[in-house]
Amino acid sequence: MDASPSSGSVPFDLEALVSSIPLAAALFDTEMRYLAHNDRWLPAHGEAAGRRLVGLSHYDVFPNMPPSWKNVHVRCLSGATERSDLDVLKGSDGTEQYLRWVVTPLRVGADIRGLAIYAENVTEHEGTRRRLAERECLIRDFFEKSPIGLNLCTMDGLWLESNPAFLDILGYGRSEADGGLTYWQLTPTKYEEAEKEQLDILRTHHRYGPYEKEFTRKDGSLVPVRLNGFLIERDGEKFIWSLIEDMTAQRELEVRVEEERIKAIQASKLATLGEMAAGIAHEIRNPLGIIDGFAFALNAALERGDASASHEAIRSIRAAAARASAIVDGLRKFARISDATVEEVHVKDAILEGVTLCGSRIATEGVELRLDIDTASRVRVQSIEFGQVLVNLVTNALDAVRSATAKWVAVSVRESDDLVEVLVDDSGLGVPKGKEHEVFKAFYTTKRIGEGTGLGLSISKSIAERHGGSLSYDSMASHPRFVLRLPRAL
């Protein structure tokens, strides 16, 4: 800044000039005493406005001034001009102020008579910049360290950025994947229709998923994944952010859980068969006795040459053999390990099969069986598991009436538009009050030791729920009642 000479001092009208400068500004003599400053000067340094500094030393006004600034002043008094876009000054209250400044010689003619300093407080701007940088660092940290795969891609599927978790799922390096691979390259063609559906959902709702599929890894193997994603737009271009979970461990866990479930069901069935063994032996002994008797009669008829009696004996033997075969087939079907096949099963036929397996107990224990199952309804179930539920409910009812005066078990069917209900009532004492939900817990039983596993109702309930139905105890019924509800096959 140049000034007209006037007795070797700065002209008075420079104060007016400094006051008109839009930045914080001050003029100093060669001893760094204030010659003039504007109202913006002190606030720019974090100090209250209104104080007059003319004649005071700059270093007394700001005693916490960094030594490096004093060196700047020395160099500029020798003719240099220096600037900084970001510097720190500690205010009188201890807070740090961030400044942008320029220091230039104040010349009168060819002589340097002091310095002109211009400053701008950028503390708020710097704070904002640092907060944004910290937030960006946090986001980047989350992106890099997230255990869930993250991927940004264009609408046509080109991968722009993938985090380490996603690259681990696929077996690719970042340089191979980002900017080189596309979503469609690693998606098996069998998901084509499902992908179109998810893309339509994304365009309509700006998000998609949860969606389960497989990706093809670099080594050619398939990896099961679950995806969720959303649409973002930047500068008029749309992109897709996707969150990808590797479902391999969960699938393995589901397989183990299913194996354990099948083992538990099988154990329950074998326990039920053990409880029914004596009655089943009696049930088979009857047709065997009939066969033996008619075989003797057949032999006698053949010796007499009585063709009519021979044919009658043969028909009776075949009928008894068919009866024994039906009992054995029922037992084999009941004992067989269940598979995952779901089929439409006639409710009436399934109930009759279950009751047949319990027939010997019903007869030998003098229990009256009441059936009201005249229905053509069908349900979509795994037939073996459905049969197990029915057998469990009937055998539980038979156990409940063992000490009753009037022994009876009733099985009936109710229907609605979308449900089939199988009701099993008995003349026993029922479930103790307050224990209606306890009876469905594994290993809970009211039977004596050795008479039950406590698994029957628990497993039956889980089977019902897996088929979209329910199993409950109706405490409001006039007699003890268990209700099996299943969706009706339409």
Side-chain angles (χ1 to χ4, degrees):
M1 175 180 289
D2 292 326
S4 300
S6 176
S7 306
S9 62
V10 178
F12 177 79
D13 60 359
L14 283 181
E15 286 199 5
L17 177 61
V18 170
S19 296
S20 68
I21 296 174
L23 296 175
L27 303 178
F28 301 87
D29 63 15
T30 55
E31 301 297 324
M32 291 305 294
R33 291 189 298 267
Y34 281 88
L35 298 174
H37 63 88
N38 62 11
D39 293 338
R40 298 180 182 84
W41 181 256
L42 284 170
H45 292 75
E47 304 290 339
R51 183 182 172 196
R52 183 169 174 76
L53 306 179
V54 174
L56 299 179
S57 168
H58 188 37
Y59 305 135
D60 290 338
V61 174
F62 298 106
N64 296 323
M65 183 179 296
S68 59
W69 284 22
K70 296 179 180 180
N71 295 332
V72 169
H73 299 156
V74 172
R75 290 192 296 272
C76 291
L77 284 169
S78 297
T81 295
E82 297 195 17
R83 67 184 68 241
S84 173
D85 287 330
L86 187 67
D87 220 330
V88 182
L89 173 68
K90 184 170 290 188
S92 59
D93 61 356
T95 60
E96 291 185 339
Q97 302 296 318
Y98 292 90
L99 300 177
R100 179 184 294 131
W101 51 258
V102 177
V103 181
T104 185
L106 178 62
R107 297 178 185 274
V108 178
D111 298 328
I112 296 175
R113 298 296 180 86
L115 297 178
I117 301 179
Y118 310 96
E120 180 184 4
N121 192 307
V122 293
T123 302
E124 185 175 346
H125 172 79
E126 177 62 14
T128 301
R129 187 195 68 77
R130 291 192 176 198
R131 285 193 296 274
L132 289 175
E134 288 173 1
R135 185 172 300 175
E136 183 177 349
C137 185
L138 284 172
I139 292 172
R140 174 54 57 180
D141 221 26
F142 167 77
F143 182 80
E144 293 295 330
K145 296 179 180 178
S146 170
I148 296 177
L150 300 170
N151 173 261
L152 177 69
C153 70
T154 61
M155 288 299 290
D156 58 4
L158 177 64
W159 286 346
L160 301 177
E161 193 165 7
S162 307
N163 74 340
F166 184 43
L167 296 172
D168 287 345
I169 292 173
L170 297 176
Y172 283 92
R174 180 164 286 169
S175 60
E176 298 174 291
D178 294 347
L181 290 176
T182 71
Y183 183 88
W184 309 111
Q185 280 178 271
L186 303 184
T187 297
T189 56
K190 64 182 178 180
Y191 294 102
E192 186 174 339
E193 289 302 317
E195 294 288 353
K196 289 179 181 177
E197 181 181 341
Q198 292 298 318
L199 202 54
D200 287 341
I201 293 172
L202 179 68
R203 290 191 176 109
T204 303
H205 302 288
H206 291 184
R207 59 172 299 278
Y208 76 93
Y211 165 50
E212 295 190 7
K213 57 170 286 185
E214 293 170 313
F215 272 130
T216 304
R217 289 174 50 85
K218 184 179 180 180
D219 62 9
S221 62
L222 295 178
V223 56
V225 293
R226 178 187 291 138
L227 293 91
N228 286 274
F230 53 91
L231 202 62
I232 61 172
E233 188 170 339
R234 294 291 182 272
D235 300 325
E237 187 175 358
K238 294 179 178 178
F239 301 91
I240 306 170
W241 265 118
S242 293
L243 289 76
I244 307 99
E245 298 175 75
D246 186 342
M247 303 298 289
T248 303
Q250 183 168 330
R251 292 289 175 269
E252 292 173 352
L253 178 61
E254 289 171 356
V255 169
R256 291 198 296 271
V257 169
E258 178 64 12
E259 289 173 351
E260 293 303 316
R261 187 189 70 82
I262 291 173
K263 288 179 182 177
I265 289 175
Q266 193 66 12
S268 177
K269 286 195 290 187
L270 294 177
T272 301
L273 285 176
E275 294 173 19
M276 298 163 57
I280 292 169
H282 177 76
E283 193 77 8
I284 294 177
R285 190 179 296 114
N286 283 340
L288 289 177
I290 294 171
I291 290 171
D292 183 62
F294 277 99
F296 181 81
L298 174 61
N299 185 62
L302 289 173
E303 288 179 351
R304 295 194 310 271
D306 188 342
S308 176
S310 297
H311 289 311
E312 179 62 29
I314 291 171
R315 280 196 299 271
S316 297
I317 289 172
R318 293 186 63 184
R323 170 62 181 163
S325 178
I327 294 170
V328 172
D329 286 345
L331 289 172
R332 290 177 60 191
K333 181 178 179 181
F334 182 77
R336 194 167 70 234
I337 296 176
S338 177
D339 57 25
T341 304
V342 175
E343 56 189 329
E344 288 193 2
V345 175
H346 288 273
V347 175
K348 181 178 180 179
D349 292 345
I351 292 174
L352 288 175
E353 284 185 11
V355 169
T356 298
L357 285 175
C358 302
S360 61
R361 276 197 64 186
I362 293 171
T364 57
E365 295 179 13
V367 178
E368 178 190 355
L369 179 64
R370 304 172 182 175
L371 295 180
D372 183 9
I373 56 173
D374 190 15
T375 176
S377 291
R378 293 171 297 172
V379 291
R380 287 189 56 77
V381 292
Q382 290 172 246
S383 60
I384 295 174
E385 292 191 358
F386 182 40
Q388 181 179 358
V389 174
L390 295 172
V391 169
N392 284 344
L393 293 176
V394 173
T395 54
N396 276 356
L398 291 173
D399 290 339
V401 302
R402 186 175 293 164
S403 58
T405 303
K407 300 179 182 180
W408 58 264
V409 172
V411 182
S412 58
V413 176
R414 292 192 307 211
E415 303 167 280
S416 65
D417 291 339
D418 55 355
L419 278 180
V420 177
E421 293 184 335
V422 179
L423 287 66
V424 180
D425 296 39
D426 63 66
S427 58
L429 296 176
V431 176
K433 188 174 179 60
K435 300 293 184 180
E436 293 87 348
H437 298 292
E438 296 287 324
V439 293
F440 294 105
K441 293 182 179 179
F443 304 111
Y444 178 89
T445 180
T446 58
K447 299 175 184 177
R448 290 177 295 183
I449 295 175
E451 291 186 353
T453 63
L455 290 172
L457 287 175
S458 172
I459 288 175
S460 296
K461 184 177 176 65
S462 69
I463 290 173
E465 290 173 349
R466 284 184 61 254
H467 289 86
S470 65
L471 177 62
S472 60
Y473 180 77
D474 185 359
S475 59
M476 303 302 292
S478 57
H479 294 281
R481 171 179 291 174
F482 283 89
V483 182
L484 171 64
R485 296 181 180 87
L486 289 170
R488 185 177 182 180
L490 303 177

